[in-house]
Amino acid sequence: MSELRITAVRSFCTQPAGARLLIVKVITSEPGLHGLGCATFTQRYRAVEAALEHHIAPLVAGRDPRDSEELWNLMMLNGYWRNGPVLNNAISGVDMALWDIKGKLAGLPCFQLWGGRSRPAAAVYGHAGGATVEAVAEDARRLLAEGVRFVRCQMGGYPGLGGPEAQRPEGAAPGRYFSPRERLEAVPRLFEGLRAALGDEVELLHDIHERLAPIDAVWLAKALEPFRLFFLEDILAPEDIRWFERVRAVCATPLAMGELFNNPQEITPLIAERLIDFIRVHVSQIGGVTPALKLARLCEPFGVRTAWHGPGDTSPVGMAANVHLDVSVPNFGIQEWARRTPLEYDMFPGLPEVRNGYVYPNDMPGWGIEFDEALAARHPCRDGNPSWTEARTPDGALARP
Ligand code: MG
């Protein structure tokens, strides 16, 4: 097969569960040979769709799909400005599809293209939540009973506890409110209660979602140290990452960071200076598997482990790619796993399955996942903007998510 060309790039918006998913299919000149990729930027998926149709698809049309490295650089550099979330996701859709094609051509699962398995399966963490410490503990017990040994625990959902309405000034906008002060009090209380209720063996995680003043983040990481978290996630906003040095200086709470990162310049100093323990980027958000593999290799000698972002707004295709990376790279840490719906399993045959706290890739070539386009067409995306990202502090001001 010396002549092989990309003949079309198609994108599909579908919403089989809560999140709007954007799936990319790269079609080649070889009959029946195509690849699937994830381009899901669930909050701005129409912008990604337009970037793919008008800019990325014409750029790669007629090119050899086996040249994934050259094509990734072409897609990233051709627009001159780069490393933004819309274009990174569009590039990821094609990049992942090219790796899928490469695996299918070789007759191998993608993880075999990168050195094979370092482990047979990837440990996952699930999400437990509730309004009280007791409710969170009860929800965590449900996961433990399924064999999951790592549990992310949140009280009060996002953005957290609302704070008293009486504190708001006249004219405060409606919406979701949270009190940083209450949160600082509540989170250590939550983990003290969870250790008492669940014991010391379970691995506990917590996500701050960037919503603290930097010095409060330093205080909280220190306050949580006695409860031996597996990791504390996104304790600082991307704008505040220089504060990680201060956090490191006062405690040994393991730190995970990265789901909002787009640009390698944001990530590299944290790794090289050993300021975080887990890199937690959203693989499509940084431009796909090509940069994710490089990032994992960069992290390895610095002792930083991978924890790819994996909630419901990572598509099943993106999750398959995560799992291939997880079983392959030696410095894998943990995989976030949101429960997928029966409809998602129907729409994406081959979607990896979790058994007894581990997720397993299959041995099919490429990502080992298919996509039922007809079924997806019956579940189109419903347009709209998210509301959970709009959180306000008690004085009515918007907080950064
Ligand atoms: Mg997070």
Side-chain angles (χ1 to χ4, degrees):
M1 198 189 302
S2 56
E3 262 300 293
L4 183 63
R5 301 288 160 207
I6 294 172
T7 54
V9 174
R10 298 212 180 109
S11 60
F12 304 84
C13 289
T14 182
Q15 196 169 357
R20 302 169 185 91
L21 309 177
L22 192 60
I23 306 300
V24 171
K25 182 176 182 181
V26 173
I27 299 163
T28 73
S29 53
E30 178 72 13
L33 179 63
H34 66 264
L36 295 174
C38 175
T40 300
F41 177 1
T42 198
Q43 293 88 351
R44 295 291 183 265
Y45 68 98
R46 292 285 182 209
V48 180
E49 195 177 38
L52 277 160
E53 182 186 345
H54 299 292
H55 300 290
I56 299 297
L59 194 60
V60 299
R63 297 295 307 262
D64 188 329
R66 291 168 291 195
D67 295 334
S68 53
E69 184 70 37
E70 145 82 2
L71 291 177
W72 190 88
N73 280 286
L74 178 70
M75 291 187 285
M76 186 58 75
L77 301 175
N78 176 270
Y80 184 56
W81 277 284
R82 49 191 180 260
N83 291 312
V86 172
L87 283 171
N88 280 5
N89 270 285
I91 291 167
S92 165
V94 173
D95 177 72
M96 283 190 199
L98 298 185
W99 281 101
D100 194 24
I101 289 168
K102 212 184 288 285
K104 287 172 177 170
L105 280 168
L108 294 170
C110 284
F111 63 78
Q112 290 292 0
L113 306 176
W114 315 321
R117 286 185 169 101
S118 291
R119 56 188 61 74
V124 301
Y125 74 84
H127 297 176
T132 62
V133 176
E134 294 69 31
V136 179
E138 197 49 45
D139 205 25
R141 282 195 196 96
R142 169 188 60 82
L143 286 164
L144 297 173
E146 293 171 12
V148 173
R149 287 166 288 279
F150 299 79
V151 186
R152 191 195 73 173
C153 297
Q154 306 293 134
M155 189 160 63
Y158 290 127
L161 302 167
E165 235 170 273
Q167 284 182 8
R168 290 177 205 167
E170 294 164 23
R176 296 170 184 234
Y177 278 72
F178 82 107
S179 159
R181 178 79 207 179
E182 277 191 40
R183 194 152 187 204
L184 286 173
E185 299 295 334
V187 175
R189 190 159 41 80
L190 169 65
F191 284 93
E192 189 179 12
L194 289 174
R195 280 290 175 220
L198 304 172
D200 290 333
E201 214 165 293
V202 55
E203 295 280 15
L204 299 175
L205 300 77
H206 186 67
D207 189 355
I208 294 295
H209 244 278
E210 307 96 8
R211 286 196 178 97
L212 288 176
I215 193 64
D216 289 342
V218 177
W219 183 89
L220 184 63
K222 195 174 154 193
L224 290 175
E225 191 178 33
F227 308 116
R228 298 290 303 270
L229 265 55
F230 183 74
F231 68 54
L232 181 61
E233 176 183 346
D234 286 350
I235 190 166
L236 294 166
E239 298 84 2
D240 295 328
I241 55 177
R242 291 289 303 275
W243 282 80
F244 272 113
E245 288 171 40
R246 316 290 176 102
V247 181
R248 269 295 202 241
V250 298
C251 69
T253 294
L255 303 170
M257 179 70 188
E259 73 184 54
L260 288 182
F261 286 157
N262 300 295
N263 188 319
Q265 300 306 322
E266 296 168 301
I267 307 168
T268 308
L270 295 181
I271 295 164
E273 291 162 34
R274 296 176 173 86
L275 295 174
I276 57 171
D277 302 281
F278 296 88
I279 185 68
R280 229 189 107 53
V281 297
H282 188 107
V283 169
S284 71
Q285 188 78 11
I286 61 162
V289 164
T290 294
L293 267 173
K294 292 177 185 179
L295 180 56
R297 304 304 191 213
L298 171 71
C299 287
E300 193 182 338
F302 291 101
V304 176
R305 289 171 277 172
T306 64
W308 313 119
H309 193 229
D313 62 1
T314 302
S315 77
V317 175
M319 287 308 299
N322 282 349
V323 174
H324 280 247
L325 289 163
D326 296 339
V327 297
S328 177
V329 302
N331 52 321
F332 163 74
I334 191 72
Q335 179 60 57
E336 181 180 30
W337 189 267
R339 194 182 301 271
R340 313 306 305 216
T341 62
L343 177 57
E344 287 177 295
Y345 277 96
D346 286 345
M347 194 181 288
F348 296 92
L351 174 58
E353 289 180 13
V354 173
R355 298 191 296 276
N356 197 30
Y358 288 102
V359 62
Y360 293 79
N362 60 42
D363 279 316
M364 299 297 287
W367 301 131
I369 196 164
E370 295 298 327
F371 176 50
D372 187 334
E373 294 169 32
L375 184 55
R378 298 210 296 275
H379 298 274
C381 286
R382 302 178 292 279
D383 281 328
N385 283 322
S387 61
W388 71 269
T389 48
E390 279 183 48
R392 292 178 187 276
T393 48
D395 70 350
L398 270 177
R400 292 180 303 199

